[in-house]
Amino acid sequence: MDILTQLIGNVNDVILTYILIIMLLGCAFWFTYKTKFVQFRMIGEMVRLLGDSTGKTEGREHHISSFQAFAISIASRVGTGNLAGVATAITLGGPGAVFWMWVIALFGASSAFIESTLAQLYKVHGHNSFVGGPAYYMKKGLKQPWMGILFAFLLIFTFGFAFNSVQSNTICAAFEEAFNILYPQAMDMAVEKSGIKMVGRADVDLGEPAEEGGLTIIAKVPVEPEVELGEYKGIEAEKETVKVLQADVKAELNRMAQRFARTETVERKAKKNDTVDIDFEGFVDGVAFEGGKAEHHELTLGSGAFIPGFEDQLIGCKAGDEKDVVVTFPKEYHAEELAGKEATFKCKVHKVEETILPTLDDEFAKDVSDTCETLDDLKKEITERLKSERQEAADAAFEEKLLDVVIAGMKADIPEAMIDSQVDTIVQDFGYRLQMQGMGLEQYLKMTGTEMGAFRAMFKDQAERQVKTRLALQKVVELEGITVSDKELEEEYAKMAEQYKMEVEKVKAIVSKEALEGDLKISNALEFIKKNAKVKKAAKKKAAEETTEETAE
């Protein structure tokens, strides 16, 4: 379909841009020459005839005047398409287009003269009137009846369908353009006057024309709902007490050691935690299955990367060994055709590599940290970092528990448009994050085999939660008269400028004062709820767990 559309467009460009214009100009200059510039010679006679308004001749009471004939001719030649064409030409070509349109019109007048003259020569008296036109002088003048029939057929088709469609489309396009210019301004004024808060697109319809003229627009808009809050002060919720145990620090040190570990090829049998370079191919009932083959695959024994039992059977193998590994796929395996079935993997070991961890000493601390001189310094740094991370998590969990109570007690008839709008925001943010990784959202959906509708549905619960949270906190702002000082605004602008490595003034140009003030009010409302909440300590861990570990200092 796209190829056909492009082909038609190319053909139209050739016909309208080259063939038709050359033919029309050629005819205009030829007729001007052959009639000895009749449109210029007879201009005085034309003006005189326009003043002849008698409209009567002897024996013919219904004879129309010259001016009436002129008006009919103009009406048949000038339509909405011409008006739109003139406007388009001036827009694209500038004032010079007017000059060339006059030049073409003056020379083209000879074509109109010839056409009108032929119509008069070959018109036929019909029922109480004359009939004629190109079809008649093709038939009588050129003696080509078939050409007249073809012309009449094409005229009926083009005027009956194509020309009317073009004029209708032109009128609709002009109306749409005018509507798009006037509607946003009129809508903003109506919303401001009514005092409502729109939260989605309006459902627009046209009413009856106003008595004093103009257009009546009926817009049904989703609005921000009225909100009633239940309990939001003095809420009691559990908050976890943050601790960092020595075992946590040790585990983090081990993870850091793994990141700085090196491997070394060894000529011995493989042990747990060694990495083996293997070829393998899997068979079920003696038949190889798809996805069960690889070459020079590096597998760390004990990592749990393969199905249970696979890695254990390679322990004890050395470079050059070949071994059949027999395992059973789990019943809940993602490939249904393999789930619960026994498989044999023919494996060949190319090499065995031992992972050598660095010694956890002062030198290690200097290598992994720019601020630590000793291992004790590194342990303290890890303790503080883990404590900070866990404190943030505990605070976030505490906030969510408080908001759960506030939202549960809130009454509001939330329009679906608000949730859909928030889903739009979430999807847009997701797309931005993908772009930073060099991938577009459409590409991601195609790779994951997900349709946009299903993708959006994944975020609906999240969006609904966010909408309810904002509505509840906005109501707290209203009830408690929470404000934001100029100092808070300037400090927040400074933080954003530092975060995005921009000048403060540029940040202010991007983020409006009203938007930032609204967000800070929401944040202050949440702080108000937290400040007035009652903290209940979370249930203690089992005594056995507490006695086995000591808090890291």
Side-chain angles (χ1 to χ4, degrees):
M1 189 64 185
D2 292 338
I3 296 176
L4 180 60
T5 302
Q6 184 178 2
L7 178 62
I8 293 175
N10 292 338
V11 172
N12 282 340
D13 287 343
V14 172
I15 293 176
L16 298 178
T17 305
Y18 300 103
I19 299 176
L20 186 61
I21 290 178
I22 293 173
M23 289 180 62
L24 291 177
L25 288 177
C27 289
F29 292 138
W30 175 252
F31 290 147
T32 297
Y33 170 73
K34 294 300 290 184
T35 59
K36 298 179 180 180
F37 295 85
V38 65
Q39 68 270 40
F40 300 105
R41 288 189 299 104
M42 305 294 290
I43 193 167
E45 179 67 9
M46 178 195 74
V47 174
R48 186 190 69 79
L49 289 175
L50 287 177
D52 179 13
S53 59
T54 59
K56 295 181 181 180
T57 58
E58 184 179 353
R60 290 187 289 180
E61 294 293 327
H62 299 292
H63 174 63
I64 65 174
S65 68
S66 295
F67 180 79
Q68 289 171 327
F70 171 75
I72 293 172
S73 177
I74 290 296
S76 66
R77 293 175 185 274
V78 180
T80 55
N82 302 88
L83 297 176
V86 170
T88 302
I90 294 175
T91 301
L92 298 178
V98 179
F99 170 78
W100 289 110
M101 281 190 286
W102 270 108
V103 171
I104 298 301
L106 289 173
F107 281 95
S110 62
S111 300
F113 176 80
I114 294 295
E115 184 180 355
S116 299
T117 301
L118 291 173
Q120 292 296 321
L121 290 174
Y122 295 105
K123 66 185 179 182
V124 177
H125 195 278
H127 298 289
N128 300 321
S129 65
F130 286 96
V131 294
Y136 281 82
Y137 52 77
M138 286 179 187
K139 176 182 178 181
K140 294 181 175 293
L142 297 177
K143 307 299 182 182
Q144 300 290 339
W146 67 270
M147 188 181 297
I149 294 172
L150 178 62
F151 177 85
F153 175 78
L154 294 175
L155 192 67
I156 292 171
F157 177 78
T158 53
F159 269 89
F161 298 98
F163 284 8
N164 289 341
S165 298
V166 170
Q167 291 180 351
S168 298
N169 288 338
T170 304
I171 294 171
C172 290
F175 179 83
E176 182 180 6
E177 184 175 353
F179 183 82
N180 289 337
I181 294 173
L182 297 175
Y183 168 72
Q185 183 179 2
M187 191 64 184
D188 290 343
M189 291 174 60
V191 169
E192 183 178 355
K193 185 176 180 180
S194 65
I196 63 175
K197 294 182 179 178
M198 284 181 58
V199 294
R201 295 178 182 175
D203 183 10
V204 180
D205 196 5
L206 298 181
E208 296 295 329
E211 293 182 1
E212 63 276 11
L215 188 65
T216 301
I217 301 174
I218 301 172
K220 296 180 181 179
V221 298
V223 298
E224 191 170 285
E226 293 292 331
V227 177
E228 293 182 18
L229 289 184
E231 182 184 9
Y232 69 92
K233 288 189 286 189
I235 301 172
E236 187 176 8
E238 286 188 352
K239 185 174 183 180
E240 184 180 350
T241 301
V242 172
K243 290 183 179 181
V244 178
L245 305 178
Q246 290 182 356
D248 299 327
V249 177
K250 184 178 180 181
E252 182 62 21
L253 282 171
N254 288 335
R255 280 192 290 270
M256 296 174 72
Q258 288 288 345
R259 290 199 297 270
F260 284 85
R262 61 186 178 84
T263 58
E264 185 177 287
T265 302
V266 293
E267 299 296 331
R268 59 166 173 77
K269 295 180 179 180
K271 300 185 300 184
K272 188 175 182 180
N273 296 325
D274 285 345
T275 299
V276 292
D277 181 335
I278 60 171
D279 296 342
F280 65 85
E281 184 173 12
F283 298 84
V284 173
D285 297 330
V287 180
F289 55 87
E290 186 178 356
K293 182 178 181 179
E295 294 181 355
H296 291 286
H297 181 84
E298 292 189 347
L299 175 64
T300 301
L301 303 182
S303 64
F306 277 27
I307 57 177
F310 189 101
E311 297 168 17
D312 293 340
Q313 295 181 51
L314 290 178
I315 293 176
C317 294
K318 61 181 184 297
D321 287 352
E322 295 185 5
K323 182 165 185 173
D324 289 350
V325 174
V326 181
V327 291
T328 302
F329 283 99
K331 292 182 179 180
E332 63 278 4
Y333 194 66
H334 61 85
E336 295 182 0
E337 67 277 9
L338 300 175
K341 292 185 178 181
E342 184 180 275
T344 299
F345 286 85
K346 295 185 177 297
C347 303
K348 181 176 181 178
V349 180
H350 291 288
K351 65 180 178 179
V352 177
E353 292 182 329
E354 180 182 4
T355 301
I356 301 175
L357 298 175
T359 304
L360 298 179
D361 54 16
D362 293 346
E363 291 301 317
F364 173 77
K366 293 177 183 178
D367 290 339
V368 299
S369 174
D370 296 331
T371 59
C372 297
E373 292 294 329
T374 67
L375 184 62
D376 287 339
D377 291 341
L378 181 60
K379 289 180 179 179
K380 289 178 181 179
E381 182 181 274
I382 293 172
T383 301
E384 291 302 318
R385 175 167 56 82
L386 292 178
K387 187 175 181 179
S388 176
E389 292 173 354
R390 293 179 183 184
Q391 188 62 58
E392 288 182 8
D395 290 342
F398 181 62
E399 289 177 4
E400 289 300 309
K401 290 175 183 177
L402 295 178
L403 289 172
D404 286 341
V405 176
V406 176
I407 291 173
M410 180 181 72
K411 294 180 181 178
D413 186 12
I414 301 174
E416 194 68 22
M418 287 191 75
I419 299 173
D420 290 339
S421 178
Q422 189 62 28
V423 170
D424 291 340
T425 301
I426 295 172
V427 170
Q428 188 177 50
D429 290 342
F430 191 94
Y432 287 151
R433 290 196 298 272
L434 285 176
Q435 286 180 356
M436 300 200 50
Q437 299 174 23
M439 180 184 295
L441 181 57
E442 291 185 5
Q443 182 183 0
Y444 172 82
L445 295 178
K446 186 175 181 180
M447 287 178 59
T448 58
T450 308
E451 294 183 356
M452 178 57 79
F455 182 71
R456 288 175 59 85
M458 293 167 52
F459 301 108
K460 186 169 184 181
D461 291 343
Q462 178 186 346
E464 184 175 359
R465 167 80 177 192
Q466 292 174 351
V467 169
K468 288 181 177 179
T469 298
R470 191 168 187 87
L471 287 174
L473 293 176
Q474 283 177 344
K475 191 64 177 180
V476 173
V477 170
E478 177 188 335
L479 293 174
E480 299 298 330
I482 294 174
T483 59
V484 176
S485 66
D486 290 340
K487 182 180 178 182
E488 287 179 284
L489 284 170
E490 290 302 322
E491 288 177 350
E492 190 62 27
Y493 273 126
K495 287 180 183 177
M496 295 173 69
E498 184 178 356
Q499 179 182 357
Y500 295 105
K501 309 300 181 185
M502 297 172 62
E503 295 179 2
V504 174
E505 294 304 318
K506 288 185 178 180
V507 176
K508 289 182 177 181
I510 298 172
V511 182
S512 69
K513 178 182 177 181
E514 293 75 14
L516 183 59
E517 187 176 16
D519 289 341
L520 289 178
K521 284 182 178 180
I522 294 296
S523 298
N524 290 347
L526 180 56
E527 289 302 317
F528 176 86
I529 294 174
K530 290 165 60 178
K531 184 178 179 180
N532 288 273
K534 297 177 182 179
V535 179
K536 184 171 64 173
K537 290 186 177 181
K540 292 184 178 181
K541 294 181 179 180
K542 294 180 181 179
E545 294 178 355
E546 293 185 340
T547 56
T548 55
E549 300 289 353
E550 295 181 5
T551 304
E553 295 296 337

